[in-house]
Amino acid sequence: MTICAAPVENPAGHRSSMRRGACPSLATPMVTGDGLLVRLRPAKPGFALRELIAMAEAAEVCGNGILEVTARGSLQIRGLRAETVSLLAMKIAEVGIEITEGLAIETPPLAGLDPSEIVNPLPLAAQLRATVAACEPRLALAPKLSITVDGGGHLHLGEITADIRLRAVRIGRKTLWLLALAGTEATSRRIALLDELAVVPAVMTILETLAAMGDSARARDIDAAALRASLVSMADVDAVERVEPAPNSSGIHDLGADRTALGVGLSFGQIRSHELRIFLEALEIFGATEIRLAPDHALMVLGIAPDRIAAAQALALGHGMRAFPGDPRNHIAACAGIAACASALIDTRAVAQQVIEAAPSLLDGSLTVHVSGCAKGCAKPSASALTITAAPMGYGLVVNGPASAAPNAYIEEKTIRSAMERLEALVRQRKRAGESARSCLTRLGAEVITAAVQQG
């Protein structure tokens, strides 16, 4: 169960949260190792190019100049001070950017543009937001409660964890919405297949139930059997095939009708605001008009003509971004680390770079290596095939688990590179023809992996 952060008053009149469980916002910035942090979600699907340039300039003036895109596709501004949070809010308002707070209702980064979508999810998401906002009295919900509304396109949200999941599916000639609770596409509990008119009432029933249970209740606390019995499913939920994992956001995405989107990922989720501003100003020359934030710590650039997209991709690479699907950095999730977070005990980015250099065979796209500065695992709360986390003697290696799990092996700080080299050799030597790194590690098992990294 989520523990809500205790708010702390600061001299500027804002309430700052210090414990995990709250969502840092302009109203309640979070105390971190490098100052205050705010997390922002635009009310629209994305930012106009000039709006994001203004955000980068505001981050430079009000914070320490570090911007992040989270694993869920929100924008974070770091290094704020109590007296500069109000200034940031004022600068955002001056540009006319509308920021949404409260219940997170998330849609895919190319929603409404993706030609492979079954249906555009934006109208349903907007209807849900309006219905929740109109509730009187206001629903008291858990701070991190989230809903995904997925139209079933190319860059879907199947890997994103959510309390309430809605995914468009086609059954015969009908478009229905698959309602599921608590988890990812693979782990959530399927409830019902609903026609669109039934979706908002069903979701509101769930939210009202959670509010009645208390402001820390999550969808995992719902009686799934009772909920299923209360809804009329239009078809058998188990007959709906699970979606394959979405491709990484980095790279070129075809939108049809001679339109493309360029996905560029931030290196380990972070960028300096002045570097982002310079990059965006260059993109403007290429004709870019809009930026949407995307999972995988990425930006989706819209408006560039197809004949200029390759040049824009090269520009992104020159700015240190992940601009190609084959970039090994696409397959590492790393938190802010010791320099930015009071809870972190290791330099996560340095460790991530050592993994890239010493164990490239692991980063074939079949798994994500999670590097976490502490047991909270903020960069990837769910389980990873391999998680490297802080331990009293250096590092802990968790096989098929989250950062909070007990490590299968311990690695001294000075031997992390050689441990990764041994793991690289293990995969390279033992991998069968056509086998992925994930499949190889799964077949070998935790004991063999542990023995490999600890030998010597």
Side-chain angles (χ1 to χ4, degrees):
M1 185 176 290
T2 299
I3 299 175
C4 297
V8 177
E9 293 289 353
N10 61 46
H14 298 282
R15 292 164 67 81
S16 302
S17 55
M18 300 183 66
R19 288 187 295 160
R20 188 174 180 241
C23 291
S25 65
L26 284 168
T28 55
M30 180 173 287
V31 179
T32 65
D34 59 350
L36 298 176
L37 175 147
V38 298
R39 184 177 302 151
L40 307 171
R41 288 181 282 117
K44 298 184 298 182
F47 294 100
L49 199 69
R50 277 284 146 191
E51 289 177 341
L52 194 53
I53 290 172
M55 292 286 276
E57 292 171 344
E60 188 78 25
V61 172
C62 302
N64 61 6
I66 295 177
L67 286 165
E68 296 172 329
V69 176
T70 70
R72 301 184 73 94
S74 294
L75 183 69
Q76 290 189 163
I77 297 178
R78 304 194 69 96
L80 297 161
R81 303 181 306 280
E83 62 271 20
T84 63
V85 175
S86 295
L87 178 61
L88 175 64
M90 183 181 71
K91 286 181 174 293
I92 291 171
E94 284 175 350
V95 182
I97 300 171
E98 185 181 353
I99 299 298
T100 181
E101 296 186 356
L103 177 64
I105 300 177
E106 301 166 329
T107 54
L110 296 178
L113 302 173
D114 187 345
S116 67
E117 280 181 332
I118 294 171
V119 65
N120 178 1
L122 294 177
L124 179 58
Q127 186 182 358
L128 277 169
R129 288 191 190 97
T131 305
V132 172
C135 284
E136 290 292 345
R138 182 178 176 182
L139 295 177
L141 300 168
K144 290 197 172 185
L145 196 77
S146 65
I147 300 173
T148 57
V149 186
D150 196 323
H154 177 61
L155 286 181
H156 59 76
L157 300 179
E159 299 299 303
I160 297 291
T161 300
D163 289 87
I164 301 171
R165 306 187 62 84
L166 294 165
R167 174 165 70 88
V169 299
R170 194 156 279 146
I171 306 291
R173 295 185 178 182
K174 282 188 173 182
T175 296
L176 301 174
W177 290 90
L178 175 62
L179 170 66
L181 297 183
T184 63
E185 166 75 18
T187 63
S188 58
R189 297 173 292 170
R190 293 183 170 189
I191 302 300
L193 280 161
L194 305 173
D195 62 35
E196 187 163 328
L197 291 176
V199 169
V200 172
V203 171
M204 292 309 298
T205 295
I206 296 169
L207 294 178
E208 289 162 3
T209 300
L210 290 171
M213 294 168 69
D215 62 6
S216 63
R218 303 294 294 270
R220 58 178 173 262
D221 303 317
I222 291 279
D223 185 335
L227 180 61
R228 286 190 196 101
S230 70
L231 296 173
V232 177
S233 185
M234 304 298 289
D236 180 7
V237 293
D238 294 326
V240 178
E241 293 186 6
R242 297 196 183 276
V243 294
E244 293 295 317
N248 193 273
S249 298
S250 299
I252 299 170
H253 304 273
D254 182 17
L255 301 180
D258 291 327
R259 298 175 304 151
T260 53
L262 174 61
V264 293
L266 306 188
S267 182
F268 307 130
Q270 234 178 44
I271 191 169
R272 288 278 174 185
S273 54
H274 70 275
E275 293 173 359
L276 177 61
R277 179 174 49 79
I278 291 169
F279 173 63
L280 293 173
E281 288 171 347
L283 284 180
E284 196 170 28
I285 298 171
F286 287 107
T289 56
E290 182 183 347
I291 303 288
R292 292 191 179 187
L293 307 181
D296 303 325
H297 312 279
L299 309 173
M300 305 301 298
V301 185
L302 304 174
I304 301 175
D307 61 349
R308 309 190 79 180
I309 202 84
Q313 193 173 27
L315 175 71
L317 190 64
H319 280 267
M321 297 183 182
R322 300 179 281 115
F324 294 86
D327 192 318
R329 294 173 297 174
N330 290 337
H331 312 301
I332 292 186
C335 67
I338 195 168
C341 179
S343 298
L345 301 174
I346 60 175
D347 185 341
T348 53
R349 283 161 173 72
V351 174
Q353 190 59 43
Q354 294 209 58
V355 173
I356 291 170
E357 294 169 0
S361 293
L362 298 177
L363 305 174
D364 63 355
S366 64
L367 59 83
T368 296
V369 177
H370 179 195
V371 184
S372 182
C374 71
K376 292 189 291 187
C378 297
K380 193 175 185 296
S382 58
S384 288
L386 293 171
T387 297
I388 301 169
T389 188
M393 60 172 290
Y395 308 99
L397 180 69
V398 180
V399 180
N400 290 322
S404 58
N408 298 88
Y410 290 95
I411 305 165
E412 292 183 16
E413 185 174 358
K414 63 183 180 181
T415 64
I416 182 65
R417 186 179 186 90
S418 59
M420 291 299 102
E421 288 172 345
R422 289 192 293 273
L423 193 52
E424 159 77 9
L426 174 72
V427 171
R428 197 167 8 92
Q429 294 164 9
R430 304 284 290 273
K431 192 163 67 169
R432 295 170 178 170
E435 191 174 39
S436 68
R438 174 185 280 277
S439 296
C440 178
L441 292 173
T442 300
R443 176 172 55 80
L444 295 176
E447 288 188 13
V448 173
I449 296 168
T450 298
V453 298
Q454 289 188 326
Q455 65 182 232

